[in-house]
Amino acid sequence: MPKLTIITIVYNNVRDIERTIQSILKQTYKKIEYIVIDGASTDGTLQVVEHYKDRISTIVSEPDKGIYDAMNKGLALATGDYVLFMNSGDEIYDENTVEDVFASAPGADIYYGETEMYNDNWENLGRRRHEAPEEFDWTSFKYGMSISHQAIYIRRSIVTPYDLTYKYSSDIDWIIKAAKKASNIVNVHRYVAKYLVGGMSKKKHRESLKERFKIFTKYYGLLPNIFNHIIIAGNLALYFFKHRRTND
C-alpha cells in the first residue's frame, strides 16, 4: 500500500475549509499523510483547521508569496510515495476514491481521473468541459488542461517544485514536467474530485490565459500552439452555445 500525501492550501476560506478536510478524513484508504498550509488566515479558518489537528499530520500557518509558494511548502514537507493537492473548497469525490485509485493498477507513476464541477452554492454543474483523455501523456494538454489539478496523483519522486515565475497557471507546467518523466500513467476511469469553480485562475482569468499560452508555447511550439488555440476557441464556443456555461 503506497503512502499518499494530500496537501490542502487555504487562505481566509472559513466557509469551505471544513468540507474539504472532512472529504479527506473520511477516506477508507488509511495510509494518508495530510498537510494543511494556511496563509495566516484572519477569518477563523485556522480555528476550523485546528479543530481537526489530531487527525492532520502537519499544519503550517504563516504568510506566503502566493498559491504556488504555499504549494511548494507542502511539497517540501511531504513524505508520501504520491502527492495530491486538494485545495480549500474542493473535495475528494467519495469516501472510496483513494482506495479505488490505488486498486486500479499497481505502481503507476501517475494516476488520473475525472472531475465534477460545482458552483459557489455547491450545486452540481456536471463534468468538466475538458474531460479526462482516455490516454494521457505530456502532449495531452495541447488543446487545454484536460485533467484538473485535484484529479491527478503523481509519484513524489518525479515532481519538482512549482515554478514561481508563473502566478496563476504553474500547475499546468508542473503536471507537464511530471508527465514527461512518467513511464506508466493510469486512467482510473472514475470521478475522483469535486471542483469548486472560481479559483485564482478564474479571478485572474486574462492573466491566467496569458500564462497558459506561454507555457503551451514552451512545450509545444509557437505555431502549433496558435493552431491549437483556434481549435480550443472553437470547442469553447460550441460548448457554451450548447450548455450556456464553460465548465472550465
Side-chain angles (χ1 to χ4, degrees):
M1 292 175 62
K3 179 180 177 181
L4 173 66
T5 296
I6 302 177
I7 300 168
T8 294
I9 67 163
V10 59
Y11 177 67
N12 283 348
N13 191 16
V14 68
R15 186 193 70 171
D16 298 314
I17 183 61
E18 187 165 35
R19 180 166 47 75
T20 300
I21 291 172
Q22 288 180 350
S23 83
I24 293 162
L25 296 183
K26 71 180 182 182
Q27 289 301 301
T28 56
Y29 192 86
K30 297 307 179 185
K31 204 167 182 181
I32 293 176
E33 172 185 56
Y34 188 28
I35 297 172
V36 177
I37 307 294
D38 171 63
S41 293
T42 58
D43 68 340
T45 294
L46 184 60
Q47 286 72 22
V48 174
V49 173
E50 289 183 335
H51 178 74
Y52 296 94
K53 64 183 179 181
D54 292 341
R55 302 178 66 189
I56 297 174
S57 307
T58 305
I59 300 171
V60 174
S61 183
E62 62 187 20
D64 54 58
K65 299 174 184 176
I67 183 172
Y68 298 114
D69 179 45
M71 289 180 174
N72 280 341
K73 290 180 182 181
L75 280 178
L77 294 167
T79 64
D81 301 295
Y82 295 85
V83 292
L84 169 69
F85 282 91
M86 192 60 56
N87 295 331
S88 183
D90 304 327
E91 294 184 15
I92 296 179
Y93 191 75
D94 59 39
E95 65 185 14
N96 298 312
T97 298
V98 175
E99 188 170 355
D100 288 351
V101 165
F102 288 124
S104 63
D109 291 324
I110 293 176
Y111 298 91
Y112 70 95
E114 197 58 82
T115 303
E116 203 166 64
M117 309 291 281
Y118 286 77
N119 66 16
D120 206 47
N121 296 318
W122 205 244
E123 295 167 332
N124 191 336
L125 301 177
R127 187 174 60 189
R128 287 183 77 227
R129 177 171 62 88
H130 293 293
E131 61 184 88
E134 180 62 28
E135 295 183 357
F136 174 73
D137 63 24
W138 70 275
T139 67
S140 297
F141 281 1
K142 64 184 178 181
Y143 297 128
M145 191 176 179
S146 54
I147 301 172
S148 71
H149 199 199
Q150 300 79 5
I152 189 164
Y153 297 55
I154 305 180
R155 189 180 294 277
R156 188 168 60 90
S157 61
I158 66 171
V159 302
T160 57
Y162 290 85
D163 186 340
L164 299 186
T165 60
Y166 304 118
K167 294 183 179 180
Y168 311 110
S169 298
S170 192
D171 50 337
I172 295 175
D173 179 70
W174 185 76
I175 292 173
I176 292 175
K177 284 178 180 175
K180 290 187 78 170
K181 296 179 182 178
S183 58
N184 183 11
I185 301 177
V186 172
N187 183 346
V188 301
H189 294 105
R190 78 174 328 267
Y191 281 95
V192 296
K194 297 177 180 180
Y195 174 71
L196 177 63
V197 175
M200 184 59 70
S201 63
K202 276 294 184 184
K203 294 173 183 176
K204 298 288 186 178
H205 193 55
R206 183 181 296 272
E207 295 89 339
S208 175
L209 289 176
K210 289 180 180 178
E211 281 193 358
R212 289 182 184 203
F213 189 87
K214 185 177 180 180
I215 292 167
F216 290 152
T217 296
K218 178 175 71 170
Y219 289 106
Y220 307 137
L222 177 59
L223 291 179
N225 191 31
I226 292 172
F227 177 76
N228 292 342
H229 270 74
I230 294 172
I231 296 175
I232 291 171
N235 289 338
L236 173 60
L238 185 63
Y239 188 94
F240 185 80
F241 177 78
K242 193 173 182 179
H243 300 280
R244 291 292 181 258
R245 59 175 183 260
T246 60
N247 262 27
D248 286 328

